[in-house]
Amino acid sequence: MPHSAIRMRSAMELNEAVAASETLVQRLLDGVAEIGRDPPGITRDAYGPGESRAHALLAETARGMGMEVSVDAGANLSMVWRAADPAGPPVIIGSHLDSVVQAGNFDGAAGVIAGMGVVAALQAAGVRPRHDIEVLALRCEEAVWFGLGLIGSRCLLGRLPEGALELRHARTGLTLAESIAACGGDPSKLGAPLRVPATIGAYLEAHIEQAPQLIEAGSPIGICLANPGNLRHPHIRITGEEAHTGLPHRFRRDAALAGADLSLSLERLWLAEEAQGRPMAVTIGRFFTPADRHSLTAVSGTFEMSLDLRAYSPDHLAALEPALHRVVAEVEARRGVTIDLGPRSAAAPGPMDPGLIEALAAAAGQGVPRLNSPGSHDANNFAASGVPTGMIMVRNRNGSHNPHEAMDTPDLMAAVGVMAEWLATR
């Protein structure tokens, strides 16, 4: 028998147990899909009925597996398989259960359910952990609901920005504090970390890929190297001057053209940075003239848009902020408008732990791709807090944040197998 931190009878038994846990994994994937059904896609609203019903399904399943279930002050769901005699800090496997509106079923949810599959496989293989294994369903990872993302992990690790509890839910209008309280949390306790990062042994997250890198590579899984951090301005407002459509160009202060100019200027910045070997991304998600004022026969005096800037290193992300302000000033001068960037939020980049990269790659076997994720995830906050963090990306056709996500369950089970083997040999 191999030496291991967790006793097991054989690698073959572990592989068989992972295969057997696919039934549980598929049942949970189908269950959260039914909860979120919102044709043509899936909607599980954060701190709302969709996310909460998914939490309830996972909690019921965890109790049936002999796991301890609790809800913290941020309303995150913790499901712990206790070690008989813990020899070290817990290992957390986590992700989120909320979605954007009418999205696919797998972004986030697959990672939480993979954690349940890992515990089920280890239990079936006769393994008893020497470390507590905790599956976390973190609240409100998606920024669409409050204009701020990664909220559950921010709550857990004391990383909520000032004023966050007063942000309002896009559907209910409740503040974040009211929303947390309504789901069993306690916002009065969120001024400090709910967990001391040094007391967490490791954080693992499985997540569907959001660019077709694994489709291209023909691999079911990949080992993540880093997640980008982001700088976000969800409510940019450009103010010019309303005018008749025949007004000559030299007299115009056209807010709509200024919005287009700002967008294309940021794209030029993006391409220039990538040409210098500094990967990043620019996304304009909201882009419109106000519906109550726009007209076919009027130059728009106001324009609204959003901006998400992403980069993989803290220094690069920090350098992009003054670059953004330079671009804004240039567009203002060129177009005769004022640009109010409005509220700002940021998430730190998430470089994965080198030791975990190597350990997960060894468990995955020869030739597994190593790749950056284009998305920011709860893993970012754990990595930024000093917790050893590792991620496994799972093959997925058609990207994410749309109804056409197409992850195959056997590919997710490959990620379950890698995490189970790492835990069994740790």
Side-chain angles (χ1 to χ4, degrees):
M1 286 195 305
H3 293 288
S4 65
I6 300 175
R7 291 188 65 232
M8 53 181 289
R9 286 186 288 273
S10 73
M12 182 177 296
E13 284 184 343
L14 181 59
N15 292 337
E16 292 171 351
V18 168
S21 72
E22 183 172 345
T23 300
L24 170 71
V25 167
Q26 189 63 62
R27 177 172 65 81
L28 291 173
L29 289 171
D30 293 344
V32 297
E34 185 59 35
I35 285 168
R37 192 168 305 285
D38 183 15
I42 297 290
T43 303
R44 290 187 291 266
D45 45 337
Y47 291 108
E51 185 186 56
S52 293
R53 288 177 59 205
H55 275 227
L57 172 63
L58 270 291
E60 178 184 16
T61 302
R63 291 188 186 98
M65 295 167 61
M67 301 171 74
E68 293 182 12
V69 176
S70 62
V71 173
D72 69 17
N76 297 308
L77 173 65
S78 167
M79 300 165 284
V80 183
W81 184 29
R82 293 288 181 197
D85 184 17
V91 172
I92 295 174
I93 304 172
S95 197
H96 62 100
L97 292 170
D98 65 312
S99 75
V100 302
V101 176
Q102 292 184 328
N105 189 41
F106 306 118
D107 184 331
V112 180
I113 292 167
M116 302 298 285
V118 169
V119 172
L122 293 174
Q123 289 178 340
V127 171
R128 189 64 189 176
R130 292 185 60 198
H131 305 260
D132 291 347
I133 298 175
E134 178 177 8
V135 180
L136 266 182
L138 293 154
R139 288 277 185 172
C140 194
E141 192 261 9
E142 303 292 0
V144 65
W145 301 107
F146 290 94
L148 177 70
L150 315 180
I151 286 176
S153 53
R154 290 178 191 267
C155 290
L156 189 82
L157 298 165
R159 302 181 70 87
L160 276 180
E162 185 176 353
L165 291 173
E166 300 308 312
L167 295 172
R168 292 195 175 272
H169 195 285
R171 280 192 170 175
T172 67
L174 295 175
T175 66
L176 177 56
E178 291 167 339
S179 301
I180 289 171
C183 293
D186 184 351
S188 70
K189 296 181 178 178
L190 298 178
L194 303 178
R195 301 281 186 90
V196 177
T199 65
I200 300 172
Y203 175 82
L204 301 180
E205 183 168 352
H207 202 286
I208 58 170
E209 65 170 336
Q210 293 165 298
Q213 298 173 91
L214 295 173
I215 296 292
E216 182 180 65
S219 178
I221 59 171
I223 306 303
C224 183
L225 299 173
N227 297 329
N230 62 60
L231 169 66
R232 287 172 168 165
H233 289 280
H235 299 290
I236 298 172
R237 186 175 181 85
I238 302 175
T239 303
E241 187 174 86
E242 294 183 358
H244 188 277
T245 49
L247 189 70
H249 190 278
R250 67 185 181 278
F251 299 120
R252 290 196 183 205
R253 297 173 56 217
D254 189 321
L257 288 181
D261 192 351
L262 177 58
S263 301
L264 292 174
S265 296
L266 289 170
E267 184 187 37
R268 286 192 290 273
L269 170 66
W270 178 7
L271 295 175
E273 290 291 302
E274 293 216 327
Q276 295 297 317
R278 295 187 290 268
M280 60 167 292
V282 172
T283 302
I284 310 296
R286 301 169 62 251
F287 192 79
F288 60 93
T289 52
D292 60 341
R293 293 292 299 164
H294 64 194
S295 167
L296 174 65
T297 57
V299 174
S300 181
T302 55
F303 194 82
E304 297 183 22
M305 57 189 286
S306 66
L307 173 64
D308 180 310
L309 287 177
R310 298 191 170 201
Y312 287 92
S313 79
D315 289 346
H316 190 196
L317 193 62
L320 287 174
E321 190 151 23
L324 165 64
H325 287 278
R326 287 195 299 272
V327 169
V328 165
E330 290 166 1
V331 173
E332 286 180 320
R334 195 158 51 235
R335 297 288 175 176
V337 300
T338 58
I339 300 176
D340 180 3
L341 290 175
R344 172 194 181 280
S345 69
M352 299 297 106
D353 178 78
L356 274 175
I357 289 173
E358 295 304 323
L360 294 173
Q366 293 275 341
V368 64
R370 302 183 185 203
L371 67 165
N372 286 328
S373 167
S376 298
H377 305 289
D378 287 304
N380 288 48
N381 283 328
F382 286 89
S385 298
V387 176
T389 300
M391 283 192 71
I392 301 174
M393 309 310 296
V394 181
R395 181 166 52 189
N396 165 58
R397 298 181 299 281
N398 307 324
S400 70
H401 290 192
N402 69 71
H404 307 298
E405 292 173 8
M407 180 199 76
D408 295 325
T409 304
D411 290 348
L412 182 62
M413 298 312 300
V416 169
V418 169
M419 289 189 284
E421 181 175 336
W422 177 75
L423 282 163
T425 58
R426 191 165 178 264

